[in-house]
Amino acid sequence: MKKIMIGIVGAIAVIFIVAGVMKLTSTEYKIASAVKAGETKIDLKEVTNTEWTNVGIMIPYTSDKAIEEYMDIEFTGNNRGIDMLDDRFLLVFADDKTDVKTVKLSNEELVYHIEDNRYLIIEKRTD
């Protein structure tokens, strides 16, 4: 019984360690940390580990169909509730045909735009 308990505790510890490492390396976490640190320009090639050729920012209430039309792709990913919620933006990374990654961006008095299909520019809202 003692060996079983040790095994269960060990397995749980491994799960938490792996989850922590994944969080530290995730694109969403890297971007959120940079924004929190006050960065205003983020090189998206440096914070992603996925191959992509195009990136776009979707505003609140953007439908999946609108994402497809704007980026000229087949959108099959997680829209993170962007079509129903106004508290977020959605960063969509795509290859030539479909999305490859989506990242939720906070709508905390910030405005985002993409520069040169590579850099995420972050500005404070002025209105």
Side-chain angles (χ1 to χ4, degrees):
M1 184 67 158
K2 189 175 183 179
K3 287 184 180 181
I4 293 173
M5 289 302 290
I6 291 172
I8 291 172
V9 170
I12 291 171
V14 168
I15 290 170
F16 279 107
I17 290 169
V18 169
V21 168
M22 287 175 65
K23 182 178 180 183
L24 291 175
T25 59
S26 78
T27 302
E28 192 165 327
Y29 180 80
K30 289 176 183 177
I31 292 172
S33 296
V35 170
K36 187 174 182 179
E39 290 189 38
T40 58
K41 185 174 185 176
I42 299 170
D43 185 341
L44 295 172
K45 293 285 186 184
E46 291 181 6
V47 296
T48 55
N49 58 1
T50 306
E51 293 294 320
W52 53 273
T53 57
N54 193 19
V55 62
I57 296 179
M58 305 304 126
I59 62 172
Y61 304 117
T62 301
S63 69
D64 291 359
K65 183 167 178 56
I67 294 170
E68 290 181 337
E69 290 173 0
Y70 177 75
M71 296 191 70
D72 194 25
I73 61 168
E74 178 184 356
F75 185 73
T76 59
N78 183 348
N79 71 14
R80 311 282 184 105
I82 191 76
D83 56 337
M84 297 182 296
L85 301 169
D86 66 357
D87 68 339
R88 63 197 65 191
F89 290 86
L90 186 69
L91 196 56
V92 178
F93 296 91
D95 61 19
D96 293 332
K97 299 181 189 308
T98 187
D99 57 295
V100 294
K101 181 187 256 328
T102 60
V103 174
K104 181 182 77 162
L105 299 174
S106 172
N107 186 8
E108 296 179 13
E109 304 301 319
L110 298 173
V111 176
Y112 304 94
H113 66 272
I114 300 294
E115 181 180 282
D116 299 329
N117 197 43
R118 180 176 179 143
Y119 300 98
L120 177 65
I121 307 300
I122 304 108
E123 299 173 344
K124 294 270 187 196
R125 263 198 202 138
T126 57
D127 53 76

